Amino acid sequence: MKIERKIPDNLLIGAGIVLVLVIFLTAGFKVLGFAIARSANGFFFPYLKLATGTTGEIQDKSLLSLDRLALAHQVEKLTNRNRELALRSTAATGILDENRILRQKLRLSAPAGWRFCTGEIILRNPLRFQAGFHIDRGERDGIAPGDAVVDTTSDGRLLLIGVVRECSKRSSRISTVNDPELRVSGRVTSGAVGFINSGNAPAGSGTIRFGMLPPDGSYTPGEAVITTGYERRIPEGVKIGELVMKNDFIPGNEPDFSCALRPAVNFENLRFVTVISRNGDRYQ
C-alpha cells in the first residue's frame, strides 16, 4: 500500500523564509547601525569640528563689517559683561570659603564636588534636533554617560538640557528632556516629586509630559520644576521648566497626577552647553 505524503504549501514555506529574513535583517541593521554610529562618532569628529569652527569664524569676522561706533558699542558691552562676571566670580569664591569654614566648625562632611566642562554642538538630527545632538567633548575630557548637561542664563542660573547618553573618546551624544525615553525626577515648589516624560497628560506643542505626581498635591500653573538630586549624576536644584495651564492637569489611569511641562531651555538657540560631572565618580 502506497502512503501518500502531503506536499507542503510553497506559499507557506516562502512566507516563513521571508519572515525569518526580515527578522535577521532588522536585528542585523540595528547592530550594524549601532557599531557604525560608535565608530563614525570618532571618525568624523575632525570634519564635524572643522565645519563648526568655520561657521564660528565667519560669525566672528562679521564684526569687521561694523563701523567704528557700532564696534565700540560692542566692545563696551563685552567689557561691562566681563566686569559683571568677574564680580560674580569673586562673590562666589567668598561664599565657597565661608561654606568651607562653617562646615569645618560644624564638623560636617564635605559636599560632593562637581566638575564643569563646556562643549560645542557639532551635530544635530534635522528630524529630531530638539531631542538630541552631539558635542565635541567625550571620555578623554572626563565625561561619562549619565552626566547632566545644562545651559546657563545671564544671571548664572542653571537650566537642564538633558543627560549624556553615550560617549566616544572625543564626542558625546546628548539626550534632551524632549527625548521620550529620558526619565528624570523633578520637584515642584510645593515639594511634590514627579518624572518627566511619564504619565498620561497629552504633550502639546512646546511641552513635555510630567507625571507620577501625588494626586492630593497642590499645583499652580507657572510653578517651577527643579531637579531633585535623586539621580546620582544630576545635581539638585537645576531648573527643568514650568507647569503650564491648569486645564492640562488630568488624572491618570493610575493613582497619580499628570500634567504638561514647558522646558526652560530654548533648544533652537543652543550652540554651547556645559556638562556637569561628579568628582571621583566617573564610572559609577
Side-chain angles (χ1 to χ4, degrees):
M1 182 175 178
K2 210 173 192 180
I3 299 175
E4 294 185 2
R5 296 182 180 179
K6 291 185 177 180
I7 300 176
D9 190 348
N10 291 335
L11 291 178
L12 292 177
I13 294 176
I17 294 175
V18 170
L19 180 61
V20 171
L21 286 176
V22 169
I23 293 174
F24 275 102
L25 287 175
T26 302
F29 178 78
K30 288 186 177 180
V31 173
L32 185 62
F34 175 77
I36 292 176
R38 291 302 302 268
S39 60
N41 200 15
F43 179 80
F44 290 110
F45 173 82
Y47 307 99
L48 295 173
K49 183 62 178 174
L50 177 62
T52 305
T54 303
T55 303
E57 184 178 353
I58 292 174
Q59 292 176 346
D60 293 338
K61 285 186 177 181
S62 63
L63 292 174
L64 299 177
S65 63
L66 300 176
D67 57 35
R68 292 183 179 181
L69 184 61
L71 190 59
H73 176 71
Q74 291 289 342
V75 171
E76 183 181 2
K77 183 179 178 180
L78 290 175
T79 301
N80 292 334
R81 178 60 177 162
N82 288 336
R83 288 173 182 169
E84 180 184 355
L85 292 176
L87 290 174
R88 290 182 180 177
S89 176
T90 302
T93 302
I95 292 174
L96 288 175
D97 290 338
E98 291 178 6
N99 183 273
R100 177 176 51 81
I101 294 171
L102 286 173
R103 284 184 171 273
Q104 288 177 350
K105 290 183 176 181
L106 296 173
R107 298 180 180 180
L108 298 176
S109 59
W114 300 91
R115 291 178 290 106
F116 299 85
C117 177
T118 302
E120 185 176 6
I121 298 175
I122 58 175
L123 180 64
R124 294 178 187 262
N125 185 335
L127 299 179
R128 301 178 67 245
F129 72 95
Q130 291 191 350
F133 49 80
H134 288 73
I135 62 173
D136 61 347
R137 293 290 184 267
E139 292 176 353
R140 68 177 186 177
D141 302 293
I143 294 175
D147 287 347
V149 183
V150 301
D151 189 20
T152 307
T153 64
S154 58
D155 57 356
R157 291 180 301 161
L158 299 181
L159 309 177
L160 185 68
I161 295 174
V163 301
V164 176
R165 179 65 73 183
E166 60 182 21
C167 300
S168 65
K169 290 188 178 297
R170 295 181 295 181
S171 61
S172 300
R173 181 168 70 91
I174 311 301
S175 289
T176 74
V177 295
N178 287 315
D179 187 344
E181 298 181 358
L182 181 63
R183 303 286 186 274
V184 175
S185 60
R187 178 184 290 112
V188 297
T189 308
S190 60
V193 174
F195 293 84
I196 65 171
N197 299 312
S198 175
N200 300 285
S205 176
T207 63
I208 59 177
R209 293 178 176 87
F210 185 56
M212 304 302 293
L213 290 163
D216 56 349
S218 176
Y219 311 109
T220 306
E223 190 173 2
V225 178
I226 61 174
T227 55
T228 61
Y230 294 165
E231 292 83 5
R232 184 173 178 80
R233 308 186 71 85
I234 301 179
E236 181 181 0
V238 180
K239 186 175 181 180
I240 302 175
E242 298 176 351
L243 303 183
V244 295
M245 296 175 59
K246 193 168 184 178
N247 58 9
D248 284 324
F249 290 78
I250 60 174
N253 296 329
E254 299 181 4
D256 66 356
F257 244 67
S258 299
C259 65
L261 175 71
R262 178 171 290 109
V265 175
N266 184 351
F267 292 94
E268 295 183 359
N269 295 330
L270 277 182
R271 178 180 173 186
F272 296 96
V273 301
T274 300
V275 181
I276 304 178
S277 303
R278 196 180 184 98
N279 280 334
D281 190 31
R282 182 175 176 184
Y283 297 108
Q284 296 180 11

